[in-house]
């Protein structure tokens, strides 16, 4: 008897995935990867390739645990929307409603001094940042590591992303620094979701780890998702391979068996491909999975609609780093409340559908949800320098295998 085809996909064409990833593992381009596809509510493809740890010759498994970096952001964004549904947060409110330290922030503007040197001038914000601004990265905040403006230098000098600080200490530090932009005027990928993590803590009375565990991960059965791993899980943690140019592994933020002091809502979590599928399937289902409702259908619709004003500008430091994977109008993209969204059928060089939404992690992880095709893709791997390549490749390999 012939093996049945996976739902809505062609097995012979899915074989291209194995060919590509096996070849890249053999060339040493990547240590390994986990690829997952779901279609029409069913798991259609789940395969592991290469090594969980190449140097130790440990094979990759489908339940390998990865540092998901910025794929933490959608989880924290959903946490905020849960509190909004309960009437405990309003998206239109200034962030200072919940974090008073962030009231009366000023904006750093670069001007030329008398001798032609660039100086930082502070001017008042024309309005306060709102919770909506944080969710869509229009709050005026930034990341210090992208670019070299005086505000970004101030971020670095203040060690804003210090892993030894608490979230409360992070907010106190941020309150003493100027904004990069006027709130609401520029899309700049930023530490906004780290601020949202602190909002969750203040409003809920729980630390971010406990809230996500109790309200999202446990109800959805995401047993390997959190801010650290238990000792019995440690043997499943995937590691990057040694960089041939340096002879060392790329630096990772911390030892995952130790609970971090700084619960980074912007990038501190770990997960597996099957776990992240459950989160993505909940979103595709309109906020519910296996009888458990996390958020309402209308909340998911709000989060996955373009939230950017028509006159929004884009940070010049960010634009060349993201291109077709970010909310650039020339690629038909926008940004919702925690996700990038596709607004138009053309312009984008990678396949997809109007209304699909997605995000990624700096180490190489990636996911997207395509409601039109009832399709979910999840990629887990470590390839920081090639992450854009693998995002586009993953989409190409998946869409070419659709049966109908």
């Amino acid at each position: 008897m012939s093996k049945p085809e996976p739902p809505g996909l062609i097995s012979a064409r899915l074989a291209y995935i194995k060919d590509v990833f096996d070849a890249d593992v053999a060339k040493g381009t990547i240590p390994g990867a986990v690829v997952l596809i779901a279609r029409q509510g069913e798991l259609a493809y789940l395969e592991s390739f290469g090594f969980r740890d190449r140097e130790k010759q440990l094979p990759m498994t489908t339940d390998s645990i990865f540092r998901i970096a910025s794929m933490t952001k959608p989880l924290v964004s959903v946490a905020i929307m849960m509190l909004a549904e309960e009437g405990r947060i309003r998206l239109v409110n200034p962030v200072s409603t919940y974090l008073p330290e962030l009231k009366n922030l000023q904006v750093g503007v670069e001007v030329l001094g008398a001798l032609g040197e660039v100086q930082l001038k502070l001017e008042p914000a024309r309005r306060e940042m709102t919770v909506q601004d944080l969710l869509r990265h229009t709050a005026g905040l930034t990341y210090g590591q992208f670019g070299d403006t005086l505000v970004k230098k101030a971020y670095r000098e203040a060690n804003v992303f210090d892993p030894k600080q608490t979230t409360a200490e992070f907010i106190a530090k941020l309150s003493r620094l100027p904004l990069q932009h006027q709130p609401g005027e520029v899309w700049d990928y930023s530490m906004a979701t780290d601020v949202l993590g602190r909002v969750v803590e203040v409003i809920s009375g729980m630390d971010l780890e406990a809230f996500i565990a109790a309200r999202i991960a446990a109800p959805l059965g995401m047993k390997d998702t959190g801010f650290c791993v238990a000792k019995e899980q440690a043997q499943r943690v995937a590691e990057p391979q040694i960089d041939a140019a340096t002879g060392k592994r790329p630096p990772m933020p911390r030892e995952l068996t130790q609970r971090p002091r700084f619960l980074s809502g912007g990038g501190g979590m770990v997960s597996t491909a099957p776990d992240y599928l459950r989160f993505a399937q909940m979103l595709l289902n309109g906020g519910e999975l296996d009888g458990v409702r996390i958020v309402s259908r209308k909340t998911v619709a709000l989060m996955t609609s373009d939230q950017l004003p028509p006159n929004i500008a884009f940070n010049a430091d960010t634009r060349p780093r993201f291109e077709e994977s970010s909310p650039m109008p020339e690629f038909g993209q926008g940004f919702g409340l925690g996700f990038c969204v596709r607004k138009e059928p053309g312009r984008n060089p990678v396949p997809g559908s109007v209304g699909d939404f997605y995000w990624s992690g700096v180490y190489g992880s990636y996911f997207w949800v395509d409601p039109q095709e009832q399709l979910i893709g999840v990629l887990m791997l470590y390839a920081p320098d090639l992450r854009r390549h693998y995002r586009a490749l993953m989409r190409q390999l998946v869409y070419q295998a659709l049966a109908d």
Side-chain angles (χ1 to χ4, degrees), residues 266-312:
M269 296 185 72
V270 301
S271 191
T272 63
D275 266 18
Y276 215 88
L277 168 64
R278 295 191 63 78
F279 177 70
Q281 189 69 56
M282 175 272 294
L283 295 169
L284 180 57
N285 293 352
E288 178 272 338
L289 182 66
D290 295 342
V292 176
R293 179 157 294 281
I294 302 298
V295 288
S296 74
R297 173 177 58 85
K298 295 298 287 185
T299 291
V300 174
L302 183 68
M303 296 182 74
T304 57
S305 299
D306 183 27
Q307 296 281 336
L308 297 182
N311 60 344
I312 197 75

Side-chain angles (χ1 to χ4, degrees), residues 54 152 177 261 265 268 276 281 317 326 348 362-363 368 404:
R54 182 187 286 273
K152 291 173 181 286
L177 295 170
R261 194 158 188 261
Y276 215 88
Q281 189 69 56
D317 292 323
S326 69
N348 201 301
V362 70
Y363 304 126
W368 82 96
D404 50 39

Side-chain angles (χ1 to χ4, degrees), residues 216-230:
I216 299 176
L220 292 178
M222 300 170 67
K223 57 185 176 60
D224 292 318
T225 299
F227 284 89
C228 57
V229 299

Side-chain angles (χ1 to χ4, degrees), residues 84-163:
E85 286 190 337
E86 295 167 8
R88 302 167 76 181
I89 292 176
R90 293 189 66 210
L91 303 191
V92 296
N93 279 354
V95 179
S96 64
T97 306
Y98 314 106
L99 304 176
E101 308 96 311
L102 298 185
K103 192 174 181 62
N104 299 322
L105 295 181
Q106 294 186 296
V107 180
V109 179
E110 294 187 1
V111 298
L112 289 178
L115 300 177
E117 74 280 15
V118 179
Q119 297 178 344
L120 192 63
K121 176 185 175 183
L122 299 181
E123 61 180 37
R126 288 190 275 274
R127 70 164 174 82
E128 288 196 60
M129 67 173 77
T130 65
V131 177
Q132 181 190 30
D133 284 322
L134 292 177
L135 285 161
R136 67 186 185 182
H137 292 286
T138 59
L141 299 167
T142 192
Y143 268 126
Q145 62 266 43
F146 299 145
D148 209 28
T149 67
L150 293 180
V151 171
K152 291 173 181 286
K153 288 180 179 178
Y155 268 53
R156 295 197 292 268
E157 290 168 2
N159 196 16
V160 172
F161 205 75
D162 183 358

